[in-house]
């Protein structure tokens, strides 16, 4: 059974940093691309960052240069280092995993490409 569990959320002031982690079990990380999504109150869930099984990365425009996604296949973890946080970064952050047959280049930020989702971790950035 595939399980994804996020941790590391919290409250921080604008300009601060947080590191989110996602621990996965029940599937082979190397065969999937993975991503971080977020959902702010009243808004749709949006892709933030994604990483392919060969370690290529993609970032949303609003987080480019501030967030860094990384994956450790040996530890089965997916991380998101968030720096210079802004109030607009507030939301519930989810990690997700997609099967290897999905195209990372076309579908990295397509919610429907991901089969597995964690429960989410809350990030609050105050001004």
């Amino acid at each position: 059974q595939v399980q994804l569990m996020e941790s590391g959320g919290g409250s921080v002031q604008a300009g601060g940093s947080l590191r989110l982690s996602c621990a996965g079990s029940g599937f082979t990380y190397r065969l999937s691309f993975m991503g971080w999504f977020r959902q702010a109150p009243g808004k749709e869930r949006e892709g933030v960052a994604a990483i392919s099984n060969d370690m290529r990365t993609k970032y949303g425009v609003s987080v480019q240069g501030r967030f860094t996604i990384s994956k450790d296949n040996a530890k089965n973890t997916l991380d998101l280092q968030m720096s210079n946080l802004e109030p607009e970064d507030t939301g519930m952050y989810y990690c997700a995993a997609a099967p290897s047959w999905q195209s990372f280049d076309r579908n990295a930020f397509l919610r429907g490409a991901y089969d597995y989702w964690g429960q989410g971790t809350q990030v609050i950035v105050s001004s």
Side-chain angles (χ1 to χ4, degrees):
Q1 182 178 358
V2 174
Q3 289 188 329
L4 297 172
M5 183 170 293
E6 304 92 339
S7 62
S11 296
V12 65
Q13 288 192 327
S17 299
L18 282 174
R19 187 177 184 89
L20 306 184
S21 291
C22 175
S25 62
F27 66 99
T28 305
Y29 262 68
R30 288 189 298 274
L31 299 180
S32 303
F33 68 82
M34 301 192 70
W36 285 97
F37 286 72
R38 69 184 179 192
Q39 188 166 17
K43 294 188 177 181
E44 290 191 356
R45 193 172 298 188
E46 64 173 352
V48 173
I51 186 166
S52 70
N53 56 3
D54 58 353
M55 302 302 184
R56 289 176 292 134
T57 58
K58 286 182 181 286
Y59 296 94
V61 172
S62 64
V63 307
Q64 185 80 40
R66 299 187 298 120
F67 290 12
T68 302
I69 188 171
S70 60
K71 185 170 68 165
D72 188 327
N73 289 333
K75 297 181 180 179
N76 282 347
T77 57
L78 177 74
D79 290 343
L80 184 68
Q81 177 67 46
M82 306 185 295
S83 302
N84 196 19
L85 283 161
E86 303 169 352
E88 292 74 21
D89 295 318
T90 293
M92 187 71 77
Y93 282 69
Y94 301 88
C95 73
S100 59
W101 55 267
Q102 286 281 0
S103 169
F104 175 76
D105 292 327
R106 289 196 302 271
N107 299 333
F109 290 152
L110 181 65
R111 285 179 296 171
Y114 292 82
D115 285 352
Y116 307 107
W117 294 83
Q119 294 298 309
T121 185
Q122 183 72 48
V123 172
I124 299 173
V125 184
S126 58
S127 58

